Amino acid sequence: MIPRSKLLRTLSIAALALTGLCHATYAKDITLLNVSYDPTRELYQEIDAAFARQWQEKTGDRLIIKQSHGGSGSQARSVDNGLDADVVTLALAIDINTIARKSKRINADWEKQFPHNSTPFTSTIVFLVRKDNPKGIKDWGDLIKPDVQVITPNPKTSGGARWNYLAAYAWAKAQPGATDASAKQYLKELYSHVPVLDSGARGSTLTFVQRQIGDVLLAWENEAFLAQRELGQGQFDIVVPSLSVLAEPPVALVDKVVDKRGTREVAKAYLNFLYTPQAQRIAIKNFYRPTDASLADEAGKLFPPLKTISIGQLGGWDAVNQKHFADGAIFDQIYLKK
């Protein structure tokens, strides 16, 4: 007769082997497509790898997350026109609202599906200038000096460009005695100093850094830090203006796609992962500001304090878009095509 202890060990080993066999038999290969905006390549490369490892450990499934990057407005139009993204991680809430309203591929209540109105990280707009700031650029008023060239992308295609524009507008409106007319005149002067409008934020960064065009780049804070660290060590300085905008790039499930493809569970887990301490620390590492309040001290060691204004304070995205970026609105009125 086999001793009881030996029999139990044998049965346990057999059970483990059977469990492993079942895992191997039922494990799947899953692909997600995250359609994102220009400056998030490095951020999501790291986040995707971390989440895919975690998902495989939890489920046994092998997860491949594909990325698509471009100007936020262009990316939104691609999804609206049928690109089968499982999730979107775009620069502007209005870009996601456009998909929800036009093609209805995203549910109208998308902002309520995840914390902080579905915004896992924030950023802001700063100035990237050449080493030692030869043009003495300190604030928005310096951008319209006669000898200053400004690099910023096109607000008609780029979410980052809209944040740049709105930061400039907010500063102009905050000046003593400012009116809508004076703010509009400032914007007109500012864009007369822009020699080229790239379609997205990363394109503008490369124009400034690699093509050496311009004296100042209006940039996402993370793009400015990245350019300092990886694209031109020792060649650039970051200038923090007196007032900027609180940039809140949101995320959403593309409901019609995840339901059609059967990826809702993993896609939702992926977006929830963005709020975990692990992903929030990856965000800090990639120069995004975390929304996790417990990491405020950690983030404070990297990010300078900055006075910002929110889109809500400017009237909300619908009003802002109609006033500034719709066809025939202020941007179309003030920009003289080169």
Side-chain angles (χ1 to χ4, degrees):
M1 178 180 287
I2 301 174
R4 178 180 175 81
S5 58
K6 186 175 181 180
L7 179 61
L8 289 174
R9 279 199 305 273
T10 302
L11 291 173
S12 296
I13 292 169
L16 286 171
L18 183 59
T19 299
L21 180 61
C22 289
H23 233 309
T25 301
Y26 293 107
K28 302 185 294 291
D29 285 348
I30 302 173
T31 301
L32 292 182
L33 175 59
N34 176 4
V35 170
S36 196
Y37 63 105
D38 249 345
T40 61
R41 290 167 176 82
E42 296 78 12
L43 170 69
Y44 281 112
Q45 276 181 349
E46 196 166 347
I47 282 177
D48 293 353
F51 179 72
R53 283 194 300 269
Q54 185 186 97
W55 187 257
Q56 186 165 19
E57 289 169 2
K58 177 182 176 182
T59 67
D61 294 339
R62 180 170 171 265
L63 177 62
I64 298 170
I65 304 172
K66 295 181 177 180
Q67 294 292 137
S68 172
H69 298 275
S72 186
S74 300
Q75 293 289 79
R77 282 190 290 275
S78 294
V79 174
D80 202 42
N81 291 332
L83 178 62
D84 275 347
D86 298 274
V87 301
V88 290
T89 56
L90 296 176
L92 308 174
I94 196 162
D95 287 334
I96 300 179
N97 280 336
T98 296
I99 301 169
R101 289 168 182 169
K102 289 180 69 177
S103 64
K104 296 182 169 52
R105 303 183 88 205
I106 293 174
N107 291 343
D109 65 347
W110 66 269
E111 281 185 287
K112 299 177 182 178
Q113 300 306 308
F114 300 95
H116 305 293
N117 294 321
S118 292
T119 301
F121 333 109
T122 66
S123 190
T124 190
I125 302 304
V126 298
F127 304 160
L128 190 70
V129 299
R130 306 207 181 274
K131 187 64 180 174
D132 297 325
N133 196 4
K135 296 294 177 74
I137 294 166
K138 297 179 181 178
D139 210 348
W140 294 98
D142 298 320
L143 303 186
I144 57 173
K145 290 179 178 178
D147 62 341
V148 172
Q149 280 194 327
V150 180
I151 301 300
T152 183
N154 188 344
K156 304 292 273 192
T157 56
S158 166
R162 294 192 182 192
W163 290 116
N164 293 351
Y165 172 106
L166 291 171
Y169 172 77
W171 175 85
K173 282 286 287 181
Q175 300 314 294
T179 62
D180 281 346
S182 68
K184 182 177 177 179
Q185 181 58 34
Y186 170 76
L187 291 169
K188 184 175 182 177
E189 290 186 45
L190 174 62
Y191 279 89
S192 74
H193 287 252
V194 178
V196 57
L197 285 180
D198 290 290
S199 63
R202 180 56 56 88
S204 284
T205 299
L206 296 177
T207 292
F208 183 75
V209 171
Q210 295 186 352
R211 296 172 62 196
Q212 295 288 303
I213 297 175
D215 303 295
V216 54
L217 172 71
L218 306 188
W220 290 93
E221 185 174 48
N222 59 289
E223 278 285 275
F225 274 108
L226 184 68
Q228 264 196 328
R229 184 184 70 183
E230 296 185 4
L231 301 177
Q233 277 194 335
Q235 297 180 37
F236 306 104
D237 293 330
I238 294 174
V239 174
V240 177
S242 62
L243 178 69
S244 194
V245 67
L246 176 63
E248 300 173 289
V251 303
L253 295 171
V254 185
D255 295 280
K256 286 191 176 179
V257 174
V258 295
D259 289 341
K260 177 180 73 175
R261 299 187 62 232
T263 54
R264 177 176 287 275
E265 180 186 5
V266 61
K268 186 174 181 180
Y270 174 60
L271 294 185
N272 276 320
F273 178 73
L274 302 180
Y275 293 88
T276 64
Q278 182 182 0
Q280 294 277 296
R281 286 193 169 95
I282 292 172
I284 294 172
K285 180 182 173 183
N286 284 273
F287 309 115
Y288 284 84
R289 297 184 182 225
T291 53
D292 186 338
S294 69
L295 298 177
D297 289 343
E298 206 169 309
K301 296 174 184 176
L302 177 62
F303 299 114
L306 175 63
K307 183 180 179 182
T308 60
I309 189 167
S310 71
I311 291 301
Q313 290 171 284
L314 292 174
W317 269 117
D318 286 339
V320 163
N321 191 61
Q322 192 64 31
K323 181 175 182 177
H324 294 278
F325 306 120
D327 289 344
I330 291 176
F331 178 74
D332 284 351
Q333 296 166 24
I334 59 97
Y335 182 66
L336 301 175
K337 293 182 179 178
K338 303 283 189 292

